């Protein structure tokens, strides 16, 4: 079930590249890692970066040793997988769209991909608005700022979600999202490997109480949790839960999109056994 990905709705109003050797740096700009407008929907993971703006009208990546610090929205640190007492650092939804950057110490396998990745948790009370992002670089007094316009999560299709779920998730979480059953010795088998911990049930079976059966979850939360490797309370998800932020899916060989996660969520809510 190693397939975590996100349609990186990336943001860039001008191309990164060009600039002769004699071009002078005139400032900085926040853009997307792969280009496109600064737009997203709830559930997206938007990979951002800072580029230099040049006096010839081009942009270029900042030098590799430049320390970029993302200052808004806040960077939260995930809780340890066995932490059941600490308050969740996850930001609460409000009138405006909610987003955050993430430090997940438990998942060192994904650390490089998390840098500069904005997780869009919701679209705000009105279903529309924007998230202000800012960053600093050494020697630049003023913060570099931008806005990511956010829309609502797309509607899910349970029929498509069933196929996507079974192709990418069922090997660990069960064919109907009922979780991994215990072995006779009390261990669990996840993706063919022995584990001390189960892959939890995700469907809407009576008493399931997780994802499909938990009102605190929705399609956007599922997409963010899968990509961030942290649940709705920011508790880190153990390996072998894949890093879906970059893992290619079975269907198209690219990371699962927010539409894919909306479809999966629709299926999990509909599945009751």
């Amino acid at each position: 079930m190693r397939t975590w990905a996100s349609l990186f709705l990336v943001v860039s109003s001008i191309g990164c590249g060009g600039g002769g050797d004699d071009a002078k740096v005139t400032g900085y700009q926040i853009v997307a890692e792969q280009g496109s407008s600064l737009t997203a929907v709830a559930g997206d993971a938007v990979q951002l970066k800072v580029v230099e703006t040049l006096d010839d009208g081009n942009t270029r990546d900042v030098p590799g040793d430049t320390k970029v610090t993302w200052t808004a929205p806040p960077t939260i640190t995930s809780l340890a997988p066995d932490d059941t007492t600490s308050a969740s650092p996850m930001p609460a939804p409000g009138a405006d769209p909610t987003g955050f950057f993430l430090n997940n110490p438990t998942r060192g396998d994904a650390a490089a991909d998390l840098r500069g990745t904005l997780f869009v948790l919701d679209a705000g009370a009105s279903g529309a608005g924007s998230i202000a992002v800012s960053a600093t670089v050494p020697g630049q007094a003023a913060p570099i700022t931008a806005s990511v316009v956010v829309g609502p999560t797309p509607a899910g299709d349970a029929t498509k979600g069933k196929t996507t779920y079974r192709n990418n998730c069922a090997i660990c979480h069960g064919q109907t999202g009922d979780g991994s059953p215990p072995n006779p010795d009390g261990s669990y088998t996840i993706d063919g490997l022995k584990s001390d911990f189960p892959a939890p049930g995700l469907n809407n079976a009576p008493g399931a109480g997780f994802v499909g059966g938990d009102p605190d979850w929705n399609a956007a939360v599922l997409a963010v949790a899968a990509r961030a490797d942290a649940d709705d309370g920011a508790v880190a998800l153990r390996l072998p839960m894949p890093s879906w932020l970059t893992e290619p899916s079975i269907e198209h060989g690219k990371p699962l999109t927010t539409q894919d996660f909306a479809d999966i969520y629709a299926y999990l809510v509909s599945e009751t056994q």
Side-chain angles (χ1 to χ4, degrees):
M1 138 179 192
R2 198 95 172 137
T3 343
W4 144 241
S6 85
L7 162 83
F8 282 5
L9 282 176
V10 261
V11 356
S12 172
S13 41
I14 53 182
C16 295
D21 293 339
D22 58 349
K24 293 182 174 56
V25 176
T26 58
Y28 297 89
Q29 184 178 6
I30 294 173
V31 301
E33 187 66 41
Q34 297 175 356
S36 170
S37 61
L38 280 171
T39 60
V41 297
D44 279 343
V46 184
Q47 196 174 39
L48 305 172
K49 66 179 180 179
V50 171
V51 296
E52 297 175 335
T53 57
L54 307 175
D55 62 358
D56 62 3
N58 289 301
T59 65
R60 68 186 177 202
D61 289 345
V62 297
D65 59 353
T66 301
K67 179 175 175 55
V68 176
T69 302
W70 296 95
T71 53
T75 297
I76 67 171
T77 297
S78 64
L79 303 176
D82 56 355
D83 190 335
T84 59
T85 59
S86 297
S88 171
M90 195 74 78
D96 298 319
T98 309
F100 61 91
F101 295 104
L102 178 71
N103 172 37
N104 191 341
T106 299
R107 297 299 300 267
D109 58 307
D113 298 316
L114 291 175
R115 294 191 197 104
T117 297
L118 171 69
F119 292 98
V120 182
L121 193 58
D122 66 74
S126 67
S130 62
I131 295 174
V133 294
S134 65
T136 61
V137 296
Q140 177 77 4
I144 306 139
T145 62
S147 291
V148 178
V149 177
V150 178
T153 311
D157 182 320
T159 300
K160 291 180 179 178
K162 179 179 180 178
T163 299
T164 304
Y165 170 85
R166 293 194 173 180
N167 282 340
N168 297 282
C169 313
I171 192 170
C172 295
H173 291 279
Q175 283 295 300
T176 62
D178 54 341
S180 50
N183 297 319
D185 63 358
S187 68
Y188 300 86
T189 301
I190 300 178
D191 198 8
L193 300 175
K194 196 170 185 178
S195 173
D196 292 334
F197 303 95
L202 304 175
N203 64 19
N204 198 14
F210 192 63
V211 185
D214 186 342
D216 290 336
W217 286 75
N218 56 39
V221 173
L222 175 62
V224 167
R227 290 168 168 157
D229 289 310
D231 70 11
D232 64 324
V235 174
L237 306 178
R238 295 181 176 90
L239 288 169
M241 175 67 182
S243 182
W244 292 98
L245 188 59
T246 56
E247 191 74 18
S249 70
I250 296 299
E251 286 83 357
H252 39 66
K254 297 178 181 179
L256 291 171
T257 67
T258 299
Q259 179 67 68
D260 291 329
F261 283 110
D263 294 342
I264 290 171
Y265 180 76
Y267 166 65
L268 292 173
V269 170
S270 71
E271 184 57 73
T272 58
Q273 55 181 319

